[in-house]
Amino acid sequence: MSRFIDSRLGALEEYVPGEQPQDKKYIKLNTNEFPYPPAPQVIAAVTAAEVADLRLYSDPTCKVLKEKLAARYGAEPENVFVGNGSDEVLNFAFMAWCRGGAAFADITYGFYSVFAELYGIDAEVIPLKEDLSVDPEEYMNKGKAVVLANPNAPTGLCLPRDTIERVVKSNPGSAVIVDEAYVDFGGESATELTKKYDNLLVVGTFSKSRALAGARVGFGVGDKELIRDLEKIKYCTNPYNINRLSLVAAAAALDARAYYDEKDALVAETREKAQKELRARGFAVSESKANFIFATHEKIPGGALYEALKARGILVRHFTVPRIRDYNRITVGTPEEMKTLIDNIKEIINGLE
Ligand SMILES: *Cc1c(COP(=O)(O)O)cnc(C)c1O
């Protein structure tokens, strides 16, 4: 860092993304990307003419995409915000509504604590229960903002919609942000509750269930005043936050619902099968409803399994936080990739005995 950096910023702990090897030699099960390509309509939508139009700025109002998102989630366009990845939506949400503090879990999406530190927000970190589930009672009547990933990451465990509703209802004086990055793989979405409660923002993304991680498109659904707050921050930072090609790709993805419903169901089916096989090999596996598996084996430390798989050309995600350092988070790939994974895990475990 230079000697010019603001000392407070210089001291921040950064979010550490999963590895993105550029040589493509790994079976990549480490960042929860979709194992299938975007829908054919999406690929067809990104035409040479659209590329030629890159000389023009993108639509700062994201009109077409907002209309399609509104139709998809039973809302009006004024109830929808579009961000450069859901990371940007979450960033703006922390900036907008968390001055009075924010409560979130000890084991959850790593960006929440990074944003809290970035904005000097007082974070109340609530430990997950012993079984790594969220205790919803701990999030009631907080008197400060509440942030929940549902399904949670990296456990994949979910809360039902009526539990989310109780949390939202008990915190009428604060924003409740529900991050549904993984909801399409088997969770229960809270978007319909945004019609009833003006303090709920539901955050979604095209990165996980719509095969567009590289396009960077996320969104928030909520009361129109909440959306107006996020727009305010957007117009104070980067009005053209979504590039032209990503706007076109995301809109086409919403038109390809049948394709994604089928592929999301296939990912869920592959997850169930792989979870069963890992349990049969002696792993303790959480009841994940996301596109990843969270697993630990008593015979091998998490870091050792991560390294052994990497040496065999398979990348998974290992976190060094003490509470979960014996786990690995394994993205659900294609059935073939999962077979290779499980064959390799069998060899590694057998080699220990
Ligand atoms: C991946 C992920 C995100 C970020 O997704 P982008 O839309 O790619 O920025 C947000 N929240 C959770 C819980 C995630 O796992």
Side-chain angles (χ1 to χ4, degrees):
M1 277 178 292
S2 81
R3 64 187 186 280
F4 310 113
I5 191 166
D6 176 305
S7 59
R8 205 185 63 78
L9 294 179
L12 290 176
E13 200 163 317
E14 297 164 39
Y15 177 76
V16 184
E19 297 155 85
Q20 290 293 351
Q22 297 301 309
D23 46 14
K24 291 208 175 194
K25 69 178 201 288
Y26 288 99
I27 293 184
K28 198 171 172 304
L29 304 176
N30 69 329
T31 50
N32 299 343
E33 290 142 328
F34 206 59
Y36 305 105
Q41 295 95 306
V42 174
I43 294 169
V46 183
T47 60
E50 293 292 345
V51 174
D53 277 347
L54 285 176
R55 72 183 184 80
L56 303 169
Y57 280 108
S58 58
D59 172 14
T61 70
C62 303
K63 183 166 186 291
V64 174
L65 181 55
K66 274 192 184 179
E67 285 170 358
K68 286 183 192 289
L69 281 164
R72 168 71 175 77
Y73 292 103
E76 298 300 321
E78 314 84 79
N79 300 114
V80 180
F81 179 76
V82 183
N84 192 292
S86 56
D87 287 339
E88 186 177 64
V89 185
L90 293 164
N91 177 15
F92 289 2
F94 271 85
M95 213 190 294
W97 305 314
C98 298
R99 183 58 49 220
F104 49 82
D106 62 338
I107 307 295
T108 188
Y109 187 40
F111 239 127
Y112 306 155
S113 57
V114 173
F115 288 138
E117 214 195 320
L118 174 61
Y119 298 118
I121 289 160
D122 189 15
E124 179 181 342
V125 176
I126 302 177
L128 296 180
K129 291 198 277 190
E130 195 55 38
D131 65 0
L132 299 182
S133 66
V134 167
D135 180 357
E137 306 310 322
E138 298 257 28
Y139 295 83
M140 308 280 176
N141 308 302
K142 296 311 290 181
K144 64 182 84 169
V146 166
V147 188
L148 283 167
N150 194 40
N152 196 16
T155 62
L157 300 174
C158 318
L159 294 173
R161 187 191 298 116
D162 51 356
T163 304
I164 294 290
E165 180 164 14
R166 284 202 294 127
V167 173
V168 174
K169 208 172 175 171
S170 77
N171 288 288
S174 320
V176 175
I177 300 150
V178 179
D179 180 352
E180 295 190 348
Y182 299 104
V183 76
D184 294 336
F185 301 105
E188 216 177 15
S189 178
T191 39
E192 67 178 55
L193 298 177
T194 59
K195 286 199 203 75
K196 208 163 141 192
Y197 299 96
D198 68 358
N199 60 326
L200 169 64
L201 186 83
V202 174
V203 181
T205 179
F206 285 75
S207 297
K208 308 288 161 59
S209 59
R210 293 179 178 115
L212 288 174
R216 313 304 305 128
V217 186
F219 57 93
V221 180
D223 182 80
K224 68 181 197 317
E225 302 304 328
L226 289 181
I227 300 305
R228 189 59 211 121
D229 299 345
L230 299 175
E231 297 288 352
K232 160 82 82 178
I233 298 174
K234 158 173 153 157
Y235 282 95
C236 289
T237 52
N238 183 11
Y240 309 107
N241 62 335
I242 317 295
N243 74 74
R244 298 183 74 96
L245 300 182
S246 295
L247 281 176
V248 166
L254 289 172
D255 289 338
R257 185 145 176 207
Y259 173 90
Y260 288 106
D261 283 352
E262 186 201 317
K263 291 287 190 286
D264 291 351
L266 177 55
V267 169
E269 188 188 316
T270 308
R271 172 194 68 216
E272 293 305 313
K273 193 157 172 257
Q275 291 196 149
K276 214 161 161 189
E277 290 184 32
L278 288 170
R279 288 189 181 117
R281 303 305 305 180
F283 280 85
V285 179
S286 67
E287 206 52 63
S288 173
K289 293 290 170 213
N291 68 337
F292 53 80
I293 292 166
F294 196 54
T296 180
H297 196 289
E298 61 179 18
K299 291 220 178 94
I300 183 165
L305 180 59
Y306 162 83
E307 291 295 347
L309 285 169
K310 187 170 179 181
R312 288 158 175 261
I314 302 172
L315 270 187
V316 299
R317 189 86 197 260
H318 177 246
F319 299 94
T320 52
V321 199
R323 241 190 126 174
I324 55 168
R325 82 178 150 216
D326 277 331
Y327 284 79
N328 277 286
R329 190 195 68 191
I330 305 166
T331 304
V332 177
T334 62
E336 298 71 37
E337 287 172 330
M338 297 317 270
K339 183 176 184 317
T340 306
L341 168 84
I342 285 163
D343 289 347
N344 276 278
I345 285 180
K346 279 183 198 166
E347 287 176 15
I348 293 164
I349 302 285
N350 289 342
L352 296 172
E353 288 154 355

